[in-house]
Amino acid sequence: MIQLPTETVFPVHNAIGDLVRHYFPNAAGYANGFLTIISLLLIVALLPVFLIWLERKVAARFQARLGPMRVGYHGLLQSTADGLKLIFKEVLIPEGADSFVFFLAPILPASATFLVMTVLPFDHHLQVADPAGGALYVLGISGLSVLGILLAGWSSNNKYSLLGAMRSGAQMISFEISLALIMLLIVMVSGTASLREIVLSQQGTILDWWIFKLPILGIVAFVMYMISSTAELNRAPFDISEAESELTGGFATEYSGISFAMFFFAEFVNMFVSAGIATTFFLGGFLAPQVGIGPLDAFFEFIPGFVWFFCKTVVVIFLYMWFRWTFPRLRIDQLMYLEWKMLLPANLALLPAAGFFLAMGWTL
Amino acid sequence: MTKPRQDVNNNSVLHSSAYYLQKIITGLVSLLSGMGVTIHYFVNPSRIITQQYPENRESLRMMDRFRGHLIMIHDANNQHHCTGCGICEKACPNGTISVLTTQNLAGNKMLGRYLYRFSQCTLCNLCVESCPFGAITMGQDFELAKYDRQLLTYILNKT
């Protein structure tokens, strides 16, 4: 049997991981791996439940409504009830659909989100794997969800689904370029592509985070990341792949029951992953925000890193929701204009500018 | 974004980049002002108009412009202002109202029964607008469901 170096493969150095390592030194690698998979599965299963509730409440507040109030305290169990309902509903296969691909398609985005979760640094030692090319891995895996959407549109045997999927494919592939270029920018300035190392390169005060460290450029890059990741997530104002008013739900038109739930859940976990990556790249990841006031900094440092990670991520998620419930939807040609004629040139100008700033030492 | 760029009169790099920059800045400003509007609603929960209806049934107050079914205004002595002129009956497009008059002891016309068939009413308010005496108004009651159609015919005057 190949003895894996457990310390590097599973850098789970939290209390539970150390406990397992102490009592079962031989099986620690497998036990910890199993535990991490279980905990990631739990996160993937429970996060969308919370995020869907949050989305509905936030949307309601933006529209001067109350949102779900009946199931549980302020509707907290509403999305659980919805999820249960979706699980027990029948999955209908449209006539002439390619049933194997039809069932396969929703699994791809869901598994892609799960795979990206494995490299997210939740805390100093709370990360399943830390490959040296973490940023590259994130980009590669998130391409899987495009595949899932395209397959869903194709296998549904429905012209609306196909149109939605084609639009979505064009949109996600286009905006992936900007996303990659912005990640490349941070990889360039921090000098590493490992997500944990990128977080550690932002140690210090709040001004050492990459959003502030490069004057102006950091904020511009963050705004551009937000735009392109919103497009990558297929969320409003870039939800032309769903476009309820034009395409009756786009690629998910023919889906029902658990298959639809998987698309829906994947969308929300994807939102969390995108926000988590924004946190990692721009907002200091799991690092506590140090403002330079002694006692406050000590207090912030006392709060564990994963709490900071989740707080920052929820702030970014709130930004996504704020965008969604404020901005009107773009047309497909406006979307392509935005990416190819505005974001991409700006990105290409940003990269050498950031290099110039670093070379001149113009950092905070 | 796709309409022809008429405001760029020549294709010099300076002009087009100025156009590009101006577009980004004006776009960002308008997006930010939109976000300001929505966050204003978010941080002001007092603007929420949705009611938790069965829970706050005791304290619920309808909006003034709400139109429930027609009522006749009675004062403290149970007197109303209706003279039985029948203008409201003529104004009603649906035949909802029947003003049945009678004669008092002096032989003058007075209101006998003011029949109001709520099952036919569209709550259009034309009867209230046409009444010269201000005798009728639209009520605030909204729990109007009944198990029998007959129960939807009301006699509005109490005397």
Side-chain angles (χ1 to χ4, degrees):
Chain A
M1 195 185 284
I2 304 160
Q3 196 60 48
L4 293 168
T6 52
E7 301 300 315
T8 53
V9 178
F10 306 111
V12 190
H13 272 283
N14 52 17
I16 298 171
D18 286 341
L19 212 69
V20 172
R21 227 170 255 119
H22 182 251
Y23 284 109
F24 310 101
N26 293 323
Y30 304 102
N32 276 345
F34 185 69
L35 282 177
T36 42
I37 287 170
I38 294 285
S39 49
L40 273 187
L41 272 180
L42 273 180
I43 290 178
V44 170
L46 294 180
L47 256 181
V49 171
F50 169 69
L51 287 180
I52 290 168
W53 172 80
L54 192 71
E55 169 100 58
R56 293 182 66 175
K57 289 304 262 191
V58 167
R61 286 292 287 272
F62 277 140
Q63 297 171 347
R65 294 185 286 118
L66 285 169
M69 292 290 281
R70 299 273 181 234
V71 193
Y73 176 74
H74 279 247
L76 259 175
L77 297 173
Q78 178 72 50
S79 35
T80 318
D82 287 347
L84 279 176
K85 182 203 74 173
L86 280 174
I87 286 169
F88 289 116
K89 277 185 103 167
E90 186 186 359
V91 180
L92 291 167
I93 310 167
E95 206 174 303
D98 187 340
S99 59
F100 174 69
V101 181
F102 188 76
F103 283 121
L104 175 73
I107 299 172
L108 282 175
S111 51
T113 57
F114 178 72
L115 286 174
V116 178
M117 281 281 218
T118 54
V119 293
L120 276 187
F122 292 103
D123 203 343
H124 275 287
H125 299 289
L126 206 62
Q127 186 183 14
V128 179
D130 184 31
L136 205 63
Y137 172 84
V138 168
L139 277 172
I141 294 297
S142 55
L144 267 181
S145 48
V146 189
L147 192 63
I149 285 169
L150 280 175
L151 285 180
W154 172 252
S155 62
S156 294
N157 194 24
N158 177 333
K159 59 178 178 252
Y160 292 123
S161 299
L162 189 60
L163 267 176
M166 285 301 162
R167 284 180 174 192
S168 173
Q171 173 186 339
M172 289 169 90
I173 289 168
S174 306
F175 278 86
E176 208 142 51
I177 296 169
S178 304
L179 212 60
L181 282 174
I182 294 163
M183 286 190 185
L184 182 65
L185 174 82
I186 300 300
V187 168
M188 186 181 85
V189 293
S190 62
T192 171
S194 135
L195 294 188
R196 186 175 133 79
E197 297 288 320
I198 286 173
V199 173
L200 292 181
S201 73
Q202 306 175 50
Q203 271 169 331
T205 60
I206 230 170
L207 291 175
D208 282 319
W209 296 356
W210 285 119
I211 184 172
F212 299 122
K213 198 167 186 178
L214 292 169
I216 306 167
L217 288 190
I219 291 173
V220 171
F222 181 70
V223 169
M224 280 175 9
Y225 177 86
M226 289 305 282
I227 295 170
S228 38
S229 62
T230 313
E232 180 78 11
L233 290 171
N234 279 325
R235 281 175 67 81
F238 303 105
D239 64 339
I240 56 158
S241 64
E242 283 181 42
E244 296 95 343
S245 45
E246 304 158 30
L247 295 179
T248 66
F251 61 87
T253 306
E254 296 290 354
Y255 280 91
S256 59
I258 188 72
S259 295
F260 175 73
M262 270 163 115
F263 270 127
F264 205 59
F265 274 36
E267 195 183 314
F268 279 87
V269 183
N270 247 330
M271 184 164 77
F272 176 81
V273 166
S274 261
I277 288 180
T279 308
T280 308
F281 277 71
F282 290 100
L283 303 176
F286 49 75
L287 299 173
Q290 302 287 309
V291 285
I293 306 164
L296 205 62
D297 282 359
F299 175 67
F300 282 165
E301 200 60 56
F302 176 71
I303 297 172
F306 64 89
V307 175
W308 283 119
F309 180 84
F310 277 98
C311 284
K312 291 170 184 174
T313 308
V314 166
V315 167
V316 179
I317 286 174
F318 179 76
L319 271 177
Y320 282 136
M321 292 177 176
W322 194 358
F323 292 162
R324 174 166 183 176
W325 298 105
T326 306
F327 299 152
R329 185 197 296 146
L330 275 73
R331 279 199 318 267
I332 181 91
D333 58 318
Q334 291 171 334
L335 192 84
M336 291 298 152
Y337 180 95
L338 179 69
E339 163 60 21
W340 294 102
K341 285 191 159 175
M342 301 190 95
L343 275 183
L344 193 60
N347 253 322
L348 292 176
L350 204 63
L351 269 177
F356 184 69
F357 269 49
L358 271 195
M360 300 296 282
W362 291 346
T363 51
L364 288 177
Chain B
M1 275 185 181
T2 49
K3 66 184 175 192
R5 313 196 312 193
Q6 288 146 349
D7 42 350
V8 185
N9 42 21
N10 57 6
N11 281 331
S12 73
V13 177
L14 198 69
H15 269 87
S16 51
S17 50
Y19 176 76
Y20 183 85
L21 266 181
Q22 184 222 341
K23 230 176 169 174
I24 290 174
I25 290 166
T26 51
L28 273 181
V29 167
S30 71
L31 288 181
L32 284 177
S33 68
M35 286 170 80
V37 171
T38 42
I39 200 71
H40 177 73
Y41 277 96
F42 188 81
V43 296
N44 284 296
S46 60
R47 304 281 291 263
I48 291 176
I49 55 170
T50 313
Q51 302 282 333
Q52 280 298 95
Y53 160 55
E55 284 85 355
N56 70 352
R57 193 176 173 186
E58 303 304 317
S59 61
L60 182 66
R61 254 191 55 95
M62 291 305 289
M63 278 149 279
D64 291 335
R65 65 180 201 180
F66 177 76
R67 293 182 196 159
H69 75 71
L70 194 64
I71 52 171
M72 186 170 281
I73 302 163
H74 287 76
D75 61 12
N77 302 323
N78 245 359
Q79 296 296 309
H80 56 76
H81 290 117
C82 184
T83 59
C85 65
I87 293 176
C88 50
E89 186 179 343
K90 292 194 184 74
C92 181
N94 309 324
T96 302
I97 301 166
S98 291
V99 182
L100 307 177
T101 53
T102 178
Q103 286 181 340
N104 62 6
L105 294 173
N108 296 329
K109 191 170 96 170
M110 64 172 285
L111 180 65
R113 276 181 177 174
Y114 194 103
L115 274 183
Y116 170 62
R117 300 176 194 88
F118 184 50
S119 54
Q120 298 174 27
C121 184
T122 59
L123 305 171
C124 69
N125 208 32
L126 283 175
C127 51
V128 176
E129 280 170 21
S130 69
C131 181
F133 306 104
I136 47 179
T137 184
M138 286 296 184
Q140 299 277 303
D141 192 12
F142 57 92
E143 293 171 326
L144 300 164
K146 294 279 189 288
Y147 282 102
D148 191 349
R149 200 154 61 102
Q150 305 298 318
L151 298 175
L152 287 172
T153 302
Y154 298 93
I155 297 167
L156 293 188
N157 57 322
K158 291 178 186 164
T159 48

